[in-house]
Amino acid sequence: MKLRFLTLVVGLTYTLNAYSAEIKTSSLTPAKAPTTTLPKQCQQMFQEADKLISDAEKQPGIHTQVQQMKSKLSSSKEQILKMDLQIQEKSCDKGLIALNNLKQKY
């Protein structure tokens, strides 16, 4: 169980890193004024990621990576809030798919 969970946590960290990089290199331009609310798919994606991080905190040997994951998640949220609504929706749809694939895989 611990190895399976560790693999999932490492995968989550990788997904957040890739997701963050995709946002930064997107050819789409961010909105001029940040929004204050997230679309439902973004809320769902961040709830899923928060749950995985919360579960990781309870696992011995994995808790050392938790702060890094929280930081990446927070950075992703900030970047998404600066984007246009349509871009937020598309980005979070991709993030949700990646997160769900990760969960199914492990």
Side-chain angles (χ1 to χ4, degrees):
M1 175 69 179
K2 182 178 175 182
L3 180 60
R4 180 177 176 259
F5 194 80
L6 178 61
T7 305
L8 182 60
V9 169
V10 170
L12 174 61
T13 303
Y14 175 78
T15 300
L16 289 174
N17 283 338
Y19 183 64
S20 182
E22 181 180 319
I23 291 170
K24 289 178 186 175
T25 60
S26 173
S27 62
L28 303 171
T29 56
K32 291 182 180 178
T35 60
T36 56
T37 57
L38 290 168
K40 66 178 180 174
Q41 55 268 63
C42 293
Q43 292 174 14
Q44 183 181 357
M45 181 186 70
F46 287 121
Q47 285 174 351
E48 291 287 328
D50 283 334
K51 183 180 181 319
L52 285 173
I53 291 171
S54 176
D55 290 345
E57 287 179 308
K58 300 171 189 169
Q59 298 294 320
I62 298 174
H63 65 280
T64 57
Q65 299 176 18
V66 169
Q67 191 55 45
Q68 179 186 4
M69 288 186 287
K70 284 182 178 181
S71 177
K72 293 285 183 190
L73 187 61
S74 177
S75 175
S76 295
K77 284 181 186 179
E78 289 174 17
Q79 291 172 357
I80 287 174
L81 283 171
K82 294 177 184 175
M83 296 179 170
D84 184 58
L85 181 62
Q86 285 181 313
I87 298 169
Q88 287 180 0
E89 291 171 347
K90 288 179 183 179
S91 296
C92 291
D93 281 340
K94 285 184 179 181
L96 259 180
I97 290 168
L99 194 56
N100 286 331
N101 287 341
L102 184 65
K103 285 172 57 179
Q104 288 177 2
K105 189 175 182 180
Y106 300 103

